[in-house]
Amino acid sequence: MKKPIEIAGVTKHIGVPRKRTEDPQILMGQAKYVDDIKLPGTLEVAFFRSTHAHARIKNLKLDAAKAHPDCHHIFTNNEFSAGATTFFPGTRGTLHPVLMPFLAKDKVRFVGEIIAAVVAPSRYIAEDIVDLIEVDYETLPAYNDVEDAMQPDAALIHEDLESNIYYADSFSNGDVDKAFAEADLVVSEKIATGRTSAAPMETRGVMATWGWDDTLTVWSSTQMPYPLRTSIAVNLGIPEQTIRVVAPTVGGGFGQKAHFFPDEFILPWIAKEIKKPVKWVEDRREHLLSAAHAKQCTIYMSIAFNKDGTMVGMKIKNIGDSGAYSQYPWSGLIESVAANNGAPGAFTVPNISFETVICLTNKMSTGAYRGVGWSAGCYAREMVMTKAARLLNLDIVDIYRKNFIRHDEFPYTTSTNQTYDSGDYHKVLEKCLELSDYASTKKQSRATEDGKLKGVGIAFFVEQTNWGSRSAEESGFPATLHDTTTVEMDPTGKVTVRSGQFSHGQGLKTTLAQVAAETLGVPFEDVVVLDGDTATGAYGMGTFASRSAVIGGGSVIRAATDVRNKLLTIAAHVMEANAADLEIDEGKIYVKGSPDRSMTVAEIAYITFYDRFARPDEDEVEPTLSATRHYDPPAAYANGSHAVHIELDPLTGKLDIKRIVAVEDCGNMINPKVVDGQMRGGASQGLGMGLLESLEYDESGQLKNASFMDFLIPNATTLPDIECAHIVTPSPYTEGGFKGAGEAAMLSVHIALSNALADALSEYDGPLVPMVTPIGPQQVMDLINNVNQPQAR
């Protein structure tokens, strides 16, 4: 880090120091598919970013940079003063809008915030020019600890707000005070979950070009091409029908790329201004500094129990660390609001109250990341349950069995008014216990011959899936979310699915093709899925929140069913049969019971388009084989369980994971191998949160570990094979009986890990249960020595 120069309270500094993009450490995981797009005359962009977490910009000095012979343009807020405000009308609590400028002007609020955009022939040259920019700062107090930022005398991060708290709500159901007063045991804890990053394999990237015909094309590694197009139109004042957004093949998104970042507006605006193609590809340091962070919550959790383990009441205060802004478009509410609304989990908790507080700090903003909200909220609940089990001389499994919603109680409305559609929680749990050898392992000695300690942990989750309008509202977000799909059959009988989803690793081009092929009765090979391009798809909200199989698949079923019905009507006329007597299978249409009376789908399709003499009259059936359908389904909730076996060295705190078992019920599975892939990938990320990952800021707001040298993520040597199994209880309310599967593994595997640690330490005095993530060697030793544990203020 280059050392600032202090002059009478004003700090002079150039931008965030970086390594050249030729450095392999920085190049690792750059957005290759955006970087590979080559257009003649393309210029590249580098950003001058703040080195201060909270400061006023007193003097921005650009003369030396502008004098560089290869400097094409430098843009600041003086030229481009737009910004975005995230606001959800109709939320339960009081929400104050927070403006996020695309380019900072008078003030910066986190290290890495963009102040200026430099345009040059190459990224290397652009970064040389960035190094010539200087700025004088007036340093302001920086807040790393959310509870410090909440204090009445804290300096305001946004002066237009009355407080750094910009959202608060409360909720109560049942007689909570009576439940706590009459309980045999009350366990109250403060739980702190670490700040992390989705850290996808590829970082983000944006490219934009303004056409001769006044059209704008934007390539972005986004999960939401259509909403991004609409947002560009609204924020830049460009007619939407002239904008094309393309999401090329993206190496992972995980919710982080389901946001709209300043660069996705800056580059289109620059392209429009200079009438040349422009490109920016994020390096890993930029990514960790300024792509959405996640998971950091401070949770005060109290649960009241009867002596047999029955949960009778729950009280929660969840404080969300929003970072410097309310991340567009999901807002900083996305963690804590979702967590509190899902607080009961799989359990019949009759009395509950919660408080949600969202507060600004001087860090990069918090956004969505796989298992959003529930990763932290479930961890807090389950760690309190684990401690209660120890105090009641029970196993956590006993508390699960005692409090689970029973199979015959579905549909079940929880005490926070979420309606679970289906499930068999006892069956899923028993499957995981059996496969993991949980009972027999618990009977064994914790100590090994080499002085280590063995432990096994179990955890259970309920996952809210398929974020349509109703599912989002049950999570506390009254949004309008749905999808549209067009299914077309051409004259040769081949099928095109135009989807509003976007596949970036989920296998959607396979699964949606499977759904279309099965519904239409044609071979899988005859179906092509188009997604990720607003010029060729159908308007949809994108891929995030375990919604693609349910909503995307459901809209495919509806559209393909319409095409199938029209195909059968035309075939019935041509074959002189009743449509109800016809069947379609593997591209052949035949009369039930008389397979020799048949025609191919391709023959009927050709007749539809080209033989008006053989097909029905146009007044009876339009001679087109296409349909567009919308789908906004009821909420559907998946569930599952994880077990983790560990070995712990009590002298060093080093923890080795020996075995992982995952069981999931996501309803009917379109492709079990794809589901297994989701389970394994999610478990890896969940164990990263639980064991390794924490973005650490110092007291001045500097991020201390903005590279993979210091920000640790799991790799192939960290984890054993993840054993997967399934229980199937179809949703009675969704098309196909589907539930989502994308979030699930990040909702409980880190809990199973912490429960395994608590089990390994079960022979120590007192219930040693971790109340933090991650649980690295230092946290393990602190737990053993009972130091540095979260304390209520």
Side-chain angles (χ1 to χ4, degrees), residues 617-675:
D617 189 81
E618 293 180 13
D619 294 336
E620 182 181 348
V621 182
E622 285 190 359
T624 60
L625 294 174
S626 67
T628 300
R629 291 297 301 271
H630 157 275
Y631 192 38
D632 189 354
Y637 291 78
N639 66 89
S641 183
H642 288 90
V644 174
H645 292 252
I646 67 165
E647 273 191 5
L648 170 68
D649 185 337
L651 299 180
T652 65
K654 186 175 185 297
L655 187 154
D656 289 324
I657 300 171
K658 296 299 184 181
R659 192 177 173 204
I660 304 167
V661 175
V663 180
E664 176 149 1
D665 173 9
C666 60
N668 287 332
M669 291 179 286
I670 301 168
N671 188 314
K673 288 187 177 180
V674 169
V675 174

Side-chain angles (χ1 to χ4, degrees), residues 226-299:
Y226 282 95
L228 177 58
R229 185 186 72 180
T230 300
S231 294
I232 290 171
V234 170
N235 285 285
L236 301 188
I238 301 172
E240 186 168 1
Q241 73 270 32
T242 67
I243 303 171
R244 177 187 180 191
V245 172
V246 183
T249 304
V250 173
F254 312 119
Q256 190 183 59
K257 295 174 184 174
H259 301 92
F260 307 139
F261 295 93
D263 43 79
E264 291 174 301
F265 302 95
I266 294 171
L267 268 79
W269 182 84
I270 291 175
K272 181 176 182 293
E273 287 295 303
I274 69 175
K275 304 297 189 291
K276 288 181 179 293
V278 289
K279 179 193 296 185
W280 167 77
V281 176
E282 183 181 61
D283 65 40
R284 186 60 68 179
R285 177 175 172 79
E286 286 181 302
H287 182 82
L288 291 172
L289 276 170
S290 58
H293 294 172
K295 307 298 184 190
Q296 188 169 26
C297 294
T298 301
I299 303 174

Side-chain angles (χ1 to χ4, degrees), residues 540-574:
M541 299 302 172
T543 295
F544 55 90
S546 298
R547 67 193 309 273
S548 297
V550 184
I551 303 181
S555 58
V556 169
I557 288 174
R558 291 187 168 192
T561 298
D562 288 350
V563 173
R564 176 190 175 95
N565 290 340
K566 183 178 286 189
L567 194 67
L568 287 172
T569 299
I570 296 169
H573 179 89
V574 173

Side-chain angles (χ1 to χ4, degrees), residues 92-269:
R92 178 184 288 120
T94 302
L95 174 62
H96 299 285
V98 178
L99 174 67
M100 179 185 70
F102 298 144
L103 289 164
K105 184 177 183 182
D106 299 321
K107 189 177 183 181
V108 291
R109 297 176 173 88
F110 71 96
V111 173
E113 185 167 6
I114 300 173
I115 299 174
V118 172
V119 184
S122 72
R123 176 67 176 268
Y124 193 103
I125 295 172
E127 287 181 1
D128 278 343
I129 298 170
V130 162
D131 285 345
L132 298 174
I133 299 175
E134 294 187 9
V135 61
D136 295 341
Y137 291 111
E138 178 188 345
T139 304
L140 300 171
Y143 294 100
N144 177 16
D145 188 305
V146 69
E147 292 186 279
D148 288 340
M150 290 170 56
Q151 299 306 308
D153 60 348
L156 293 177
I157 297 172
H158 291 261
E159 282 85 355
D160 55 328
L161 302 178
E162 296 178 357
S163 164
N164 290 325
I165 297 172
Y166 70 91
Y167 178 83
D169 72 29
S170 61
F171 173 87
S172 184
N173 191 2
D175 195 335
V176 180
D177 291 339
K178 180 181 179 183
F180 273 75
E182 296 178 354
D184 296 316
L185 173 68
V186 173
V187 179
S188 299
E189 293 288 342
K190 177 184 177 181
I191 299 93
T193 52
R195 196 175 196 84
T196 189
S197 168
M201 182 182 299
E202 289 187 348
T203 59
R204 299 183 306 105
V206 183
M207 183 169 180
T209 185
W210 188 263
W212 62 269
D213 53 352
D214 288 339
T215 59
L216 173 67
T217 302
V218 179
W219 292 263
S220 175
S221 53
T222 181
Q223 294 175 227
M224 305 166 64
Y226 282 95
L228 177 58
R229 185 186 72 180
T230 300
S231 294
I232 290 171
V234 170
N235 285 285
L236 301 188
I238 301 172
E240 186 168 1
Q241 73 270 32
T242 67
I243 303 171
R244 177 187 180 191
V245 172
V246 183
T249 304
V250 173
F254 312 119
Q256 190 183 59
K257 295 174 184 174
H259 301 92
F260 307 139
F261 295 93
D263 43 79
E264 291 174 301
F265 302 95
I266 294 171
L267 268 79
W269 182 84

Side-chain angles (χ1 to χ4, degrees), residues 15 89 138 309 333 494 541 641 729 750:
E138 178 188 345
L333 283 62
K494 307 302 182 183
M541 299 302 172
S641 183
T729 57
H750 58 307

